[in-house]
Amino acid sequence: MNKQFMSARGLTLAKTGGSAFGGKKIIIANWKMNLSIKRSLEFIKKITKSKNEVVIAAPFTFLCEMSRHLKKKKIKLAGQNVSQFGAGAYTGDISAKMLKEEGCSYCLVGHSERRIYFKETDKEINQKILQLLRYKIKPVLCLGENASQRAKKQTNKIIQKQLKAALKGVKNPQEIIIAYEPIWAISTFQKSKIKRSASLKDIKEAHLMIKKMLVSLCKNKARQIKILYGGTVNPQNSQEILNLKEVDGALVGGASLKISSLNAIIKST
Ligand code: PEP
């Protein structure tokens, strides 16, 4: 067996139909409900050049101004959420078409904070993905198990359910990016002061398992689907995480709010 095909629980990249891994990585900064327009504009000026694809998932109200300032830079914009509806009487919602008009190339979908605090369902997440694909915005599908599901060894079952529901009716799954974000590894859900990411072994195993599921759901298109890791990625661990062949990039929350940390992460591979 070629050494590059690492095995985890008997599964190899070779068996999962090859790899979309390698080449440049995608680093998505999830700013959540933080910063201000003024600070965001100062921030993006300081982002260093990188061979990687750098994406900022900013609050809706920053997008228009940021996209004007990002025209010359290679940095891309993402929404943090999108309506499951196309248009109409849905007070407070933002449609995929509106995100497109604001210059978004990506949009997060199904982030654990939305699933937990806003009770988003798998069905709504699927509808959001279909809306985004209509407007050629790449959905970044966030999924992952919580601590008690992991303790009960339900990780595979949970991810399989989330994945299957999210991909229902999707004709071009290769347009979707998956972000494996085990809830127990996301910094804001951790009670202790010292925040921990998943171990490299956990990350490798989960990504290989997701790839295998994608192969069974999407056949040969699975090869092209990128899988990012999210959960306490920071300048101390980004290099070892991003250098894993199984990891196509990172979704970064807390550490993306500090320019020195984000720059260190995007330059770490
Ligand atoms: C997130 O919320 O998507 C996330 C990965 O956060 P953090 O990096 O702070 O764990």
Side-chain angles (χ1 to χ4, degrees), residues 30 32 111-113 181 185-188 230-233 251-255:
N30 179 10
K32 309 191 182 187
H111 190 278
S112 50
E113 289 155 11
E181 295 213 301
I186 293 180
S187 64
T188 47
T232 314
V233 174
L251 179 51
V252 188

Side-chain angles (χ1 to χ4, degrees), residues 114-127:
R114 301 233 38 109
R115 292 181 192 258
I116 295 167
Y117 304 144
F118 301 95
K119 309 279 178 258
E120 270 186 19
T121 64
D122 282 333
K123 187 170 175 212
E124 285 161 353
I125 289 162
N126 170 249
Q127 290 169 333

Side-chain angles (χ1 to χ4, degrees), residues 13-79:
L13 284 183
K15 283 182 189 161
T16 56
S19 167
F21 308 131
K24 68 177 182 179
K25 307 269 173 167
I26 304 174
I27 317 288
I28 305 181
N30 179 10
W31 282 355
K32 309 191 182 187
M33 200 169 72
N34 291 298
L35 303 180
S36 63
I37 295 187
K38 188 166 175 276
R39 280 187 62 199
S40 74
L41 298 181
E42 287 160 8
F43 194 108
I44 54 176
K45 270 193 222 152
K46 295 181 192 152
I47 300 179
T48 54
K49 274 197 183 147
S50 151
K51 69 176 168 72
N52 298 310
E53 171 95 328
V54 178
V55 183
I56 309 282
F60 288 132
T61 54
F62 302 0
L63 294 172
C64 178
E65 199 62 20
M66 279 180 71
S67 79
R68 263 194 262 155
H69 287 80
L70 286 177
K71 285 244 158 74
K72 282 194 201 124
K73 285 202 168 215
K74 282 197 175 146
I75 300 163
K76 304 272 171 43
L77 271 180

Side-chain angles (χ1 to χ4, degrees), residues 27-251:
I27 317 288
I28 305 181
N30 179 10
W31 282 355
K32 309 191 182 187
M33 200 169 72
N34 291 298
L35 303 180
S36 63
I37 295 187
K38 188 166 175 276
R39 280 187 62 199
S40 74
L41 298 181
E42 287 160 8
F43 194 108
I44 54 176
K45 270 193 222 152
K46 295 181 192 152
I47 300 179
T48 54
K49 274 197 183 147
S50 151
K51 69 176 168 72
N52 298 310
E53 171 95 328
V54 178
V55 183
I56 309 282
F60 288 132
T61 54
F62 302 0
L63 294 172
C64 178
E65 199 62 20
M66 279 180 71
S67 79
R68 263 194 262 155
H69 287 80
L70 286 177
K71 285 244 158 74
K72 282 194 201 124
K73 285 202 168 215
K74 282 197 175 146
I75 300 163
K76 304 272 171 43
L77 271 180
Q80 295 178 8
N81 184 28
V82 67
S83 176
Q84 66 267 42
F85 305 110
Y90 301 104
T91 303
D93 260 11
I94 305 282
S95 69
K97 186 168 180 234
M98 292 167 182
L99 287 181
K100 191 75 187 178
E101 285 170 352
E102 297 299 302
C104 288
S105 334
Y106 296 83
C107 183
L108 306 184
V109 185
H111 190 278
S112 50
E113 289 155 11
R114 301 233 38 109
R115 292 181 192 258
I116 295 167
Y117 304 144
F118 301 95
K119 309 279 178 258
E120 270 186 19
T121 64
D122 282 333
K123 187 170 175 212
E124 285 161 353
I125 289 162
N126 170 249
Q127 290 169 333
K128 289 177 184 213
I129 288 175
L130 294 172
Q131 285 294 334
L132 291 168
L133 291 173
R134 271 186 71 190
Y135 291 94
K136 306 227 173 320
I137 297 174
K138 281 187 180 295
V140 180
L141 168 64
C142 305
L143 42 75
E145 78 286 4
N146 65 29
S148 90
Q149 290 161 340
R150 186 172 186 81
K152 289 186 218 148
K153 304 213 180 311
Q154 293 174 339
T155 302
N156 292 17
K157 195 177 99 186
I158 295 296
I159 294 177
Q160 174 106 45
K161 180 178 163 284
Q162 292 173 332
L163 209 49
K164 209 172 156 199
L167 295 179
K168 196 166 171 211
V170 172
K171 293 200 179 75
N172 295 314
Q174 68 277 21
E175 300 302 326
I176 296 180
I177 290 169
I178 310 288
Y180 171 59
E181 295 213 301
I183 297 171
W184 48 271
I186 293 180
S187 64
T188 47
F189 287 116
Q190 295 181 40
K191 290 199 182 83
S192 102
K193 271 198 179 153
I194 301 163
K195 313 288 181 190
R196 289 188 201 287
S197 73
S199 71
L200 297 183
K201 181 172 173 282
D202 290 338
I203 298 172
K204 269 200 280 194
E205 284 185 0
H207 282 224
L208 283 168
M209 186 256 298
I210 293 169
K211 194 59 131 180
K212 191 183 172 201
M213 289 174 188
L214 288 171
V215 170
S216 90
L217 289 168
C218 318
K219 308 289 175 277
N220 54 350
K221 288 179 179 161
R223 280 196 69 162
Q224 297 164 59
I225 304 177
K226 297 201 181 280
I227 309 174
L228 317 185
Y229 167 75
T232 314
V233 174
N234 56 41
Q236 288 72 47
N237 61 22
S238 57
Q239 189 169 25
E240 54 182 13
I241 293 174
L242 288 168
N243 281 340
L244 290 174
K245 289 190 191 68
E246 295 82 359
V247 172
D248 293 305
L251 179 51

